[in-house]
Structures are given as structure tokens and as C-alpha cells.
Amino acid sequence: MSEMERALKQLKKDAYNEYKIEDKPTSREAMSYFRRCIVYSSKLIFKEKEIITFAILQLVCIGLGYYIWVQMLDWIPKEVWESARKTDRGSIADIILLLWSILCVGLTAYPLGLLTACMGAAHFLHENGEESTIAKCFIIVLQRAWPIWIFSWIDGWWTVDRILERLPKKRDRVPLSQKLINEAIYQAWKTASLGFLPALIIGRGVIDSCKDSLGILKTHFKTICQLRMAYSSICWFLGIGSYVGAIFMAPYIFSHMSNDNDMYTFYAFIGIPILISLFVILVFFRPIYILSACSIYSNYVRENNIPVKLPTVSKFSSTIVAFGVLAIIICTVFLYKDTLGITYLLSIPYK
């Protein structure tokens, strides 16, 4: 894992160095290109209908992951939340909640990463003239399950971190200049990593996948920028829509807040507009984004004579055991939170 993390961090660093603002296409060019992507992707989706199944299952995974995460908020007494508003100092509750968040992101990242990779597998099977099925797609991606999971876990955590930084805060001490730099690094990373997952799917190693991903950034810069800019704009628009929806829901949320834990009630209800936006993104736009990224990578593969190796024989993946262990850990925390002393530690006020 450390080797892969170093490789991805290096890709992130190189991506920012290659990501030249002056070379970026205009928003109009990006949306025009995305419309062309819709035409290609829609034809493939209607032919290989399992892609929509993968998209819907992704929404289910994120919904369950959010539900699991928000449960810990219900374990923190109201007095602790009130004490947090009166101080800038941290608490043991912050550490526990951070660890819980990392575990929940990791639990969600496994099925989410595999389902995303399955969309890409459907594309490459179609390109090879083979029939794409759910079973065939999973046979392909499970051979690369470890790097897919780690990549999705790291990428998911960076994404969550960016979303949290974008939200308005009461005591926000991060300078605007630093926020803009962080956003530029994040967008550079998302653009540069577009080729990483497709490369893993066709059998490339982690290092070669990073090289291919950076190679696409250099040789197909405008194309992947158009794709990323259009998709990111759509996500921003729908994200703002969910934020506006939350504002309209505020009176209803406040009227249903319990005396025991207002914070839990707030986050439980706020998940509704978030999931509505995610439904639109994951079902209608993300498949287009993933399939288009794979299409760009396919062009890169042909240009550089890179062999495509799609496994045809099912093999057991040890990630299933690791995922099961992670799920058991989370279930144990749920069932034995009092015995383990977690509820006691979460009840310690901020000072």
C-alpha cells in the first residue's frame, strides 16, 4: 500500500506541474465536448444495460456508507456539541470521529471502486467485440481489486476533504489563496488520474498506470480537460442545488430536531437533498464520465501499442476477506460501543 500511495502522490505532484491554466479549454468547449461524449456513451449504455445497474448500485453504496457514518453523531451527547461551539480546542471525540470517517470511506470505497471499474470493463469488452455481462466485468476487476480499492479509498478521502473545505464555516481561518491552491491541486489530480483506473482494468501495473495517466495528461491535455471541466461543472451545479434544497428544508429539519441530539437529526435529514443530487450525478452523468475517460485511454493505448489483457478466468481475491474484516470491525463498534468505551470517550466535553 505504501508503494502505491507514494506512486499516487508523485502522480498528484507531477499532475500539478503539468496542469497549465493558460492551456485549459473554455467552458463552452468543455460542454460541447461533453455533449459529444453523451452520444457515444448513451449508445453503449443502451447496448450494455448492466452499466446502469452498476450506477444504481453505486448510489446504494454511498447511501449506506453515509447512513453508517452518521450513526456515530447520534452517540455524541448534545452537551458535547454545545461545548464544541464555545472553544477552538480539540477533543478525543474529534479523533474518534476522524477514524470512524476514514473507516466508513474505506468501507464504501471497496464496492464503489469495483462498480466504477466494472463500467470501464464493459467499455473494453465492447471494444474487443465481446459480450459484456455483470459476471465478466467482475471477473476482470477482481483481478485488480487491491489497487482499485486503495486508489478509490485515497481518492474518496481527498474528495471528502475537498467537499468539507468548500462548505461555509463559522471559524474559517484558511486563507482564500490557500483554498484556491488546494482546489487547483485537487482538479489537477482528478484530471491526471483519469487514465489510472482504465490502465488497471487492462492489466497494467500501478507504476505503469501512473505513467499512462500522466502520459494522457501530456498528449491529450485538452480532451481530458474538457471532460473534467464539464463533469466538474455539472457536479458543482447539482451540489449547489442540494445546498439550496437543504436551506428550503431547514424549517422542516429544525421542527423535527430532538432535544437529545440536534446535530444527528440535522445530518440525517440533510442527506436527503444530497442523495437526490447524487442520484442525478451517478445515474445520468457519471457513467458518461467514466466511459468517456476509458475511450480517451483506448485511443492512448492504440497510439502507443499497449497490450490489452482482460482476464477470462475467475480467481478469488483476498480483498473480499479484507473487506469482510473491515465490515466486522465496524459492526463490532456498533454492537459494543459501550463495552469498548467509545460512548464514554465521545461524551467527554470540549475544554
Side-chain angles (χ1 to χ4, degrees):
M1 179 173 177
S2 59
E3 181 183 355
M4 181 173 176
E5 190 172 3
R6 285 195 299 270
L8 291 175
K9 284 183 177 179
Q10 186 61 43
L11 174 61
K12 185 179 179 181
K13 179 181 177 181
D14 293 340
Y16 184 63
N17 293 334
E18 294 289 338
Y19 195 73
K20 305 298 182 184
I21 301 299
E22 62 268 19
D23 295 334
K24 284 172 60 179
T26 64
S27 298
R28 179 175 293 183
E29 288 176 325
M31 296 309 296
S32 176
Y33 175 76
F34 197 75
R35 284 194 293 270
R36 296 197 297 273
C37 291
I38 291 174
V39 175
Y40 159 75
S41 301
S42 298
K43 290 179 180 177
L44 182 57
I45 290 169
F46 280 112
K47 186 173 181 179
E48 311 293 352
K49 296 180 176 61
E50 67 275 5
I51 294 173
I52 292 298
T53 302
F54 297 144
I56 294 172
L57 288 175
Q58 283 188 321
L59 179 66
V60 173
C61 290
I62 293 177
L64 288 174
Y66 183 81
Y67 173 80
I68 292 170
W69 174 79
V70 83
Q71 296 310 301
M72 182 167 280
L73 301 183
D74 194 30
W75 307 343
I76 303 175
K78 186 176 182 179
E79 296 75 22
V80 176
W81 291 116
E82 290 176 349
S83 67
R85 297 189 186 102
K86 300 175 183 177
T87 180
D88 292 335
R89 299 180 66 181
S91 167
I92 187 66
D94 292 327
I95 299 173
I96 296 174
L97 192 56
L98 175 63
L99 293 174
W100 181 250
S101 301
I102 293 172
L103 290 177
C104 289
V105 170
L107 189 74
T108 307
Y110 181 70
L112 198 65
L114 292 183
L115 291 166
T116 300
C118 280
M119 292 184 191
H123 161 82
F124 287 111
L125 285 168
H126 178 75
E127 284 238 318
N128 281 2
E130 301 178 43
E131 181 187 4
S132 173
T133 64
I134 293 176
K136 278 188 176 181
C137 291
F138 271 105
I139 286 172
I140 292 170
V141 302
L142 280 173
Q143 308 303 309
R144 310 294 296 156
W146 273 114
I148 289 172
W149 187 11
I150 295 169
F151 170 75
S152 300
W153 197 336
I154 294 172
D155 182 68
W157 184 251
W158 282 341
T159 300
V160 168
D161 183 62
R162 287 303 310 140
I163 292 172
L164 292 176
E165 186 173 305
R166 291 168 185 162
L167 294 175
K169 300 177 183 66
K170 197 171 185 180
R171 299 185 186 95
D172 192 354
R173 294 189 175 87
V174 181
L176 178 60
S177 58
Q178 185 60 49
K179 287 185 177 181
L180 292 174
I181 292 173
N182 292 342
E183 186 66 29
I185 293 173
Y186 175 73
Q187 292 300 335
W189 153 254
K190 296 297 287 187
T191 305
S193 62
L194 272 175
F196 185 81
L197 202 58
L200 288 177
I201 294 169
I202 69 165
R204 302 283 279 173
V206 171
I207 303 299
D208 287 334
S209 295
C210 288
K211 289 179 180 178
D212 288 353
S213 201
L214 193 61
I216 294 175
L217 183 67
K218 294 177 179 178
T219 58
H220 296 76
F221 182 84
K222 187 172 183 179
T223 305
I224 62 171
C225 268
Q226 287 174 334
L227 178 61
R228 179 61 201 172
M229 283 179 63
Y231 180 71
S232 181
S233 298
I234 292 168
C235 291
W236 267 97
F237 177 77
L238 291 169
I240 293 171
S242 65
Y243 188 76
V244 172
I247 293 174
F248 279 104
M249 282 186 64
Y252 180 80
I253 295 173
F254 292 141
S255 67
H256 284 75
M257 281 186 172
S258 64
N259 293 325
D260 295 331
N261 199 327
D262 293 348
M263 193 63 68
Y264 166 74
T265 306
F266 175 79
Y267 275 98
F269 276 102
I270 214 71
I272 297 173
I274 293 174
L275 286 176
I276 292 173
S277 294
L278 282 174
F279 172 80
V280 178
I281 292 171
L282 293 174
V283 175
F284 295 101
F285 295 107
R286 186 165 174 79
I288 296 169
Y289 178 66
I290 298 299
L291 294 173
S292 300
C294 290
S295 179
I296 295 170
Y297 182 71
S298 291
N299 294 332
Y300 180 82
V301 164
R302 284 189 289 269
E303 292 165 1
N304 293 273
N305 297 316
I306 297 173
V308 177
K309 301 175 183 178
L310 300 178
T312 56
V313 180
S314 177
K315 291 183 180 179
F316 178 78
S317 175
S318 57
T319 55
I320 297 174
V321 176
F323 176 75
V325 171
L326 182 57
I328 290 171
I329 291 172
I330 288 178
C331 287
T332 302
V333 172
F334 259 101
L335 296 173
Y336 301 102
K337 56 183 179 291
D338 295 332
T339 305
L340 294 172
I342 294 174
T343 48
Y344 168 74
L345 293 173
L346 290 173
S347 66
I348 299 174
Y350 288 72
K351 297 179 179 179

